[in-house]
Amino acid sequence: MDRTELCNRFITARRAAIGCDFSHLNDTQREAVMTTQGPLLLLAGAGSGKTTVLMNRIENLLKFGCGSDSDFVPEDVTEDDLTALESYVSAAALTPGAIQDEFFIPDSELRVRQLCAVGPVDPGQIVAITFTNKAAGEMKDRLERMLGPKSKDIWAMTFHSACARILRREIDKLGYDRSFTIYDTSDAASLMKRILKELDIEERDFPHKTVLTYISRAKDAMTSAVDFLSSAEQSFDSRRKTIGKAYLEYSGRLKASNALDFDDLILLTVLLFREHPDVLREYQRKFKYVLVDEYQDTNNLQYILASMLAGGYGNICVVGDDDQSIYKFRGATIENILSFERRYKDARVIRLEQNYRSSGHILSAANDVISKNKGRKGKKLWTENDPGEKPELYITTDERVEAQLVADKIIKSAGQGTSWSEHTVLYRMNAQSNQFETAFKRSGIPYRVYGGTGFYERTEIKDMLAYLCPIHNPNDDIRFLRVINNPPRGIGNTTVGRLTEIASEKGIALFELLRTSQEHESIKSNAGRLHMFADMIDSLRELACVAPLDELYDSLLLQTGYIKMLEQKGSDESIARLENVRELKTNIIGFMEENGGSLFDFLSETALFTDLDRDDHSADRVLMMTMHSAKGLEFHTVFVVGAEEGIFPGIRAIGDPGEIEEERRLCYVAMTRAKRKLFFTCTKQRMLFGKTSSSQPSRFIREIDGDSIDIYEPFDTFGGFEYNSDFRVPNSRSQSPNSRFQKPVSEFRTPNSPAPLPELKKGDVISHKAFGRGTVTGISPAGGDALLEIAFDDVGTKRMLLKSSFRYIKIST
């Protein structure tokens, strides 16, 4: 056999042998895993297994390097080596399986692995970036299960966490101290409110959130505060000029406090790389492979950062779905994913279109909707799952009937064995949750409104973190002001105001001023208390240098008097707050076990938590949330409520083609959260924000082909529904006007008069459709209704209103 034939057959056999390791993947997934070199765009549709692909791609890089994607053949390869590879592939075809774990691998297969590997990658040479700590944590867990201890060295983290790690080492080159702290959104809001007040800028004219949004956009465009203000002055734009002044002051305060906000983490990393090419080259040499998940959600700075890191080897793999780009309001730009091939000339594109989540009818309807968008790369999801049930639209009379309808559907589904947590209610705006909360309470349905106060957002936890921050960074004025008189130490608002004025005049940190407070007449009378507070912080700072983080926290609780304050109050609320303060130690210990216990890293991790990271999706309760919050989640049954023109799509989007496309992508995201059942609801009239108006079904419903959705309208005043034979969908494939509607289904009809209420008394044993057997333990009047208290055998005590719940209850005999 000549050398050319040997090499060609060897390359083919090597790729096939490596493919045996990933035989559990479908063909397209396997192609994505085994494409290792150069720029790669993975267009991953909803439910297509993109995380599985990412994990297996990393495994391939660690085991085989670029072996599956390389023409390199070692000089010492022999015909015997070729025979070994081809024999292995033939055997694997008969007995499907992967190359075994390295600790149990026979000599013959060890030889195969050696022949397959071309430059296996060290774990520290891979950076895999995603958007939330929750997603990054799940990625780390899966990598550890797959790869063992060596997965620890992979940089699997968020953009912000990766930048925080880089800046921890390098930020001194930009004039900051390495002990910087990170301001989360609430810290940034507190600082901006203070600045607006000091500049005599009215909140009603310039809401702090609006000002911060302008600043965020400016930073994403890499526009400094000085340049922003200069541009505003030259254009004679008084509004931008006012915002520019606030931006300039905000930037100065952050720098003086040695603090960064979320935008700064990425901005300063990019500036660091631009201003110090030697630092950039160091990280480009370090990271041989750059992987970015949810690429459609990246903004301008994140795009620049990822391209910079990948500039060394050129191996950048981005995973995303242009059809799920829904965060334009946060600065995300769909252009990053749409223009990937233009920016990377030799890029390869692989589409992951097989969906493993949803039923056929749900996917068909979702494809109908998203296909109407023009600004997309184009793909069509398909599935081997059974067709399942068609999505359904219910057109109700008003928002109260809509909410009760959803409650009824959930009760019925739960009675058939589907857990509460497998149901979600998705709405366009938070205000819509009101009626559903009322209906769920009446019906005894356990629920959680996503967006409530998370653990790290609770007042007492913010207080504890505010103490830890000045211990780490004494220049952190915002946290300093939060705790200087908390618990009360006799340092009132007047003294704090004078401290702030003097510190601002002298250009020094508040903590530094405490030590010389006796030298300033306006605060001299309080110098003793100020010195005591400074001494306490100094002693804790000294302890932080030698003691483990959990011991430091114990000392903090003791020295600050915070625990004593809560204990003395003795109220139920104080006891709950006390429990939370103590529970924070559990988190600290867990962090120490996982990460080694650095105070900087702990503060960084807690600051970078997002709302979605904090929510507990394991609890068995119906979850209600906005459609934006649902991205990345999946449920057995999904209710998309308020599917009406003016609500979804929103009134501001109507008339703007670009905004309508964003809303349509949001609809697509909402629909593809559903695995088995998908319901839409809309009303004929709706009261919202105190005003009642008539409604029309959303255009997105009308974009679903007639064969892919069933539609019901009320036929009487008692909540019965029947198929609507008049509702029309443009461009329907149906030939007959009524062919898309089946005969009315009896389960959606109710009698023409309400059923009589059951006569219940305390001690009665009842059977509930969803909760099972229970005993009535209490009945009390509630207006024209009765409030029942029922102790259920399996789910504990529930309270529910009789009129709302009687249809689910029968008295046991």
Side-chain angles (χ1 to χ4, degrees):
M1 180 185 309
D2 62 32
R3 178 70 185 177
T4 301
E5 182 183 358
L6 173 65
C7 290
N8 289 338
R9 286 178 59 182
F10 181 86
I11 292 168
T12 301
R14 180 175 63 197
R15 181 174 177 83
I18 294 174
C20 294
D21 235 35
F22 306 102
S23 59
H24 58 289
L25 303 176
N26 67 40
D27 292 345
T28 310
Q29 290 175 329
R30 191 160 52 251
E31 180 187 1
V33 165
M34 295 172 65
T35 301
T36 63
Q37 298 302 288
L40 173 65
L41 169 59
L42 297 182
L43 281 176
S48 62
K50 69 179 179 66
T51 305
T52 296
V53 170
L54 276 178
M55 298 301 98
N56 282 273
R57 192 169 192 274
I58 292 173
E59 180 183 13
N60 182 37
L61 293 172
L62 295 178
K63 285 183 178 180
F64 307 116
C66 61
S68 60
D69 202 28
S70 172
D71 292 336
F72 171 76
V73 178
E75 289 291 335
D76 59 350
V77 163
T78 66
E79 291 188 21
D80 288 341
D81 294 330
L82 174 60
T83 300
L85 281 179
E86 292 180 336
S87 298
Y88 176 81
V89 173
S90 298
L94 296 174
T95 310
I99 297 178
Q100 299 175 26
D101 184 88
E102 56 191 317
F103 295 109
F104 304 99
I105 193 167
D107 291 343
S108 60
E109 293 190 9
L110 180 60
R111 177 58 179 156
V112 169
R113 172 169 291 183
Q114 292 169 342
L115 291 170
C116 287
V118 179
V121 181
D122 183 85
Q125 293 180 301
I126 298 175
V127 56
I129 300 175
T130 188
F131 271 78
T132 66
N133 285 307
K134 182 174 182 291
E138 291 172 353
M139 186 183 293
K140 290 177 183 177
D141 291 342
R142 290 182 67 164
L143 285 171
E144 186 171 7
R145 290 195 299 270
M146 182 182 290
L147 305 172
K150 62 184 178 183
S151 68
K152 298 284 187 182
D153 294 330
I154 297 172
W155 280 40
M157 57 187 66
T158 65
F159 272 106
H160 295 107
S161 296
C163 289
R165 180 179 291 191
I166 292 170
L167 293 174
R168 173 83 183 278
R169 291 182 53 195
E170 314 287 353
I171 198 171
D172 55 318
K173 295 179 175 65
L174 297 175
Y176 288 78
D177 190 275
R178 292 182 180 181
S179 64
F180 67 87
T181 49
I182 301 169
Y183 281 7
D184 64 16
T185 51
S186 63
D187 298 320
S190 297
L191 176 57
M192 183 51 68
K193 287 177 183 177
R194 181 177 296 274
I195 289 170
L196 294 176
K197 184 177 181 181
E198 292 175 4
L199 294 178
D200 292 324
I201 299 173
E202 291 290 341
E203 173 81 17
R204 66 174 179 270
D205 298 326
F206 292 87
H208 70 275
K209 289 184 178 180
T210 300
V211 177
L212 287 170
T213 297
Y214 272 90
I215 292 173
S216 180
R217 290 173 181 169
K219 289 183 178 182
D220 187 46
M222 302 187 69
T223 303
S224 69
V226 173
D227 290 342
F228 185 97
L229 180 56
S230 176
S231 174
E233 288 175 337
Q234 291 175 15
S235 66
F236 302 101
D237 187 330
S238 60
R239 182 172 179 81
R240 287 180 64 84
K241 184 178 177 180
T242 300
I243 293 172
K245 290 178 180 178
Y247 182 11
L248 190 63
E249 187 67 21
Y250 178 76
S251 297
R253 297 282 184 92
L254 284 174
K255 183 70 182 293
S257 297
N258 198 38
L260 312 181
D261 64 15
F262 286 168
D263 294 315
D264 288 331
L265 287 170
I266 302 177
L267 174 60
L268 292 185
T269 304
V270 170
L271 292 176
L272 171 73
F273 288 162
R274 286 192 172 182
E275 296 175 11
H276 298 274
D278 56 320
V279 177
L280 174 59
R281 285 193 295 270
E282 177 186 346
Y283 284 94
Q284 286 178 337
R285 285 194 298 267
K286 174 178 176 59
F287 296 125
K288 193 171 183 178
Y289 289 92
V290 176
L291 295 86
V292 184
D293 195 10
E294 304 290 0
Y295 192 65
Q296 77 281 346
D297 294 335
T298 53
N299 60 24
N300 178 58
L301 276 177
Q302 289 161 341
Y303 156 72
I304 294 172
L305 177 63
S307 62
M308 280 181 154
L309 289 174
Y313 294 93
N315 296 324
I316 180 170
C317 171
V318 301
V319 186
D321 183 1
D322 52 313
D323 290 334
Q324 296 187 71
S325 178
I326 59 173
Y327 294 126
K328 182 180 179 181
F329 68 97
R330 294 181 185 172
T333 171
I334 192 174
E335 180 63 22
N336 286 346
I337 195 168
L338 294 179
S339 65
F340 186 82
E341 295 159 274
R342 187 174 70 251
R343 288 169 170 171
Y344 297 92
K345 300 299 183 184
D346 55 344
R348 286 188 271 188
V349 179
I350 297 175
R351 287 170 168 80
L352 303 179
E353 297 176 304
Q354 183 174 358
N355 177 282
Y356 292 92
R357 176 188 299 154
S358 304
S359 64
H361 280 308
I362 291 173
L363 281 188
S364 179
N367 283 330
D368 285 343
V369 171
I370 200 61
S371 66
K372 304 301 185 295
N373 268 7
K374 295 179 180 178
R376 62 191 296 257
K377 298 187 77 69
K379 64 181 178 306
K380 189 169 185 177
L381 296 186
W382 60 277
T383 185
E384 292 180 348
N385 296 340
D386 62 74
E389 299 179 29
K390 292 183 182 181
E392 297 174 1
L393 167 68
Y394 285 83
I395 304 173
T396 66
T397 52
D398 59 35
E399 69 279 357
R400 290 171 297 177
V401 176
E402 175 189 45
Q404 191 57 52
L405 165 76
V406 172
D408 291 348
K409 291 287 184 185
I410 292 174
I411 287 283
K412 179 185 176 185
S413 178
Q416 294 171 342
T418 306
S419 63
W420 300 112
S421 60
E422 280 291 345
H423 302 82
T424 188
V425 177
L426 306 182
Y427 35 76
R428 184 63 182 86
M429 60 184 83
N430 283 304
Q432 291 174 255
S433 71
N434 181 26
Q435 293 295 332
F436 295 94
E437 290 189 69
T438 301
F440 288 2
K441 286 175 182 175
R442 286 174 175 169
S443 301
I445 297 174
Y447 69 91
R448 160 87 156 94
V449 178
Y450 170 74
T453 304
F455 181 76
Y456 283 101
E457 294 172 321
R458 292 169 183 164
T459 299
E460 58 275 15
I461 300 303
K462 297 286 283 185
D463 289 344
M464 292 299 97
L465 295 175
Y467 269 111
L468 288 170
C469 286
I471 293 171
H472 168 66
N473 171 21
N475 294 326
D476 190 342
D477 285 355
I478 287 293
R479 273 61 174 270
F480 176 89
L481 289 172
R482 184 181 182 103
V483 298
I484 190 172
N485 198 41
N486 182 18
R489 298 185 176 89
I491 305 173
N493 291 336
T494 300
T495 301
V496 170
R498 291 168 181 167
L499 278 169
T500 303
E501 290 174 5
I502 297 170
S504 179
E505 290 173 2
K506 292 187 169 293
I508 61 176
L510 288 168
F511 185 72
E512 183 179 346
L513 178 60
L514 296 191
R515 296 189 177 92
T516 59
S517 53
Q518 73 281 356
E519 301 174 7
H520 302 277
E521 194 63 35
S522 63
I523 56 175
K524 186 176 181 179
S525 61
N526 236 341
R529 294 188 180 96
L530 296 174
H531 276 290
M532 287 179 63
F533 180 74
D535 291 343
M536 179 188 71
I537 296 296
D538 279 334
S539 69
L540 290 170
R541 281 175 56 77
E542 291 173 5
L543 183 63
C545 296
V546 297
L549 188 52
D550 57 336
E551 292 183 16
L552 171 66
Y553 186 67
D554 288 337
S555 296
L556 185 154
L557 295 181
L558 181 64
Q559 293 190 42
T560 60
Y562 199 92
I563 288 286
K564 184 177 180 181
M565 174 189 70
L566 294 177
E567 289 175 338
Q568 288 176 343
K569 288 184 177 180
S571 64
D572 290 344
E573 180 185 357
S574 297
I575 292 172
R577 293 178 64 190
L578 182 60
E579 291 171 349
N580 289 332
V581 167
R582 288 172 171 157
E583 179 61 19
L584 181 59
K585 185 176 179 180
T586 301
N587 294 25
I588 290 173
I589 292 173
F591 177 82
M592 292 171 63
E593 293 173 350
E594 182 73 19
N595 301 283
S598 161
L599 177 57
F600 172 87
D601 290 337
F602 177 72
L603 292 173
S604 296
E605 179 173 276
T606 55
L608 294 174
F609 260 41
T610 66
D611 288 344
L612 197 56
D613 295 325
R614 296 165 181 145
D615 197 58
D616 178 14
H617 297 296
S618 63
D620 191 20
R621 53 194 174 181
V622 177
L623 197 58
M624 293 194 287
M625 67 181 85
T626 64
M627 298 174 199
H628 283 99
S629 299
K631 190 167 174 294
L633 304 178
E634 60 181 38
F635 302 88
H636 177 278
T637 301
V638 170
F639 296 87
V640 179
V641 300
E644 300 155 20
E645 290 290 298
I647 293 181
F648 187 45
I651 191 67
R652 293 182 181 178
I654 295 175
D656 184 329
E659 292 297 326
I660 286 292
E661 293 214 349
E662 177 101 353
E663 293 280 288
R664 190 175 284 114
R665 290 192 291 269
L666 186 58
C667 184
Y668 176 78
V669 167
M671 295 172 73
T672 53
R673 300 311 94 199
K675 294 189 286 189
R676 305 302 300 169
K677 292 185 178 181
L678 173 62
F679 297 95
F680 292 93
T681 64
C682 64
T683 65
K684 292 188 173 182
Q685 65 175 27
R686 179 182 298 275
M687 178 180 285
L688 193 61
F689 308 126
K691 296 182 179 180
T692 300
S693 57
S694 59
S695 309
Q696 292 293 324
S698 169
R699 68 189 65 195
F700 303 142
I701 301 296
R702 295 180 178 272
E703 291 170 353
I704 300 174
D705 188 272
D707 293 335
S708 298
I709 188 169
D710 289 332
I711 297 168
Y712 302 89
E713 278 194 289
F715 73 93
D716 59 31
T717 59
F718 300 105
F721 286 84
E722 66 181 355
Y723 283 98
N724 177 347
S725 60
D726 297 320
F727 191 91
R728 291 290 179 271
V729 177
N731 303 320
S732 171
R733 290 191 298 264
S734 302
Q735 300 300 315
S736 166
N738 297 323
S739 62
R740 64 173 301 201
F741 304 110
Q742 304 170 28
K743 294 179 181 179
V745 180
S746 59
E747 69 174 277
F748 299 114
R749 290 189 174 275
T750 58
N752 288 332
S753 58
L757 295 177
E759 294 183 3
L760 291 175
K761 61 183 183 296
K762 189 174 180 179
D764 280 349
V765 177
I766 61 93
S767 177
H768 189 278
K769 191 171 184 178
F771 301 125
R773 185 178 180 275
T775 302
V776 179
T777 58
I779 303 177
S780 56
D785 205 340
L787 178 65
L788 304 177
E789 187 172 279
I790 304 174
F792 291 99
D793 295 347
D794 297 327
V795 298
T797 300
K798 299 283 183 184
R799 292 179 177 85
M800 56 189 70
L801 291 171
L802 179 57
K803 285 184 178 179
S804 299
S805 306
F806 78 92
R807 74 194 76 180
Y808 312 124
I809 295 173
K810 66 177 181 179
I811 301 176
S812 297
T813 56

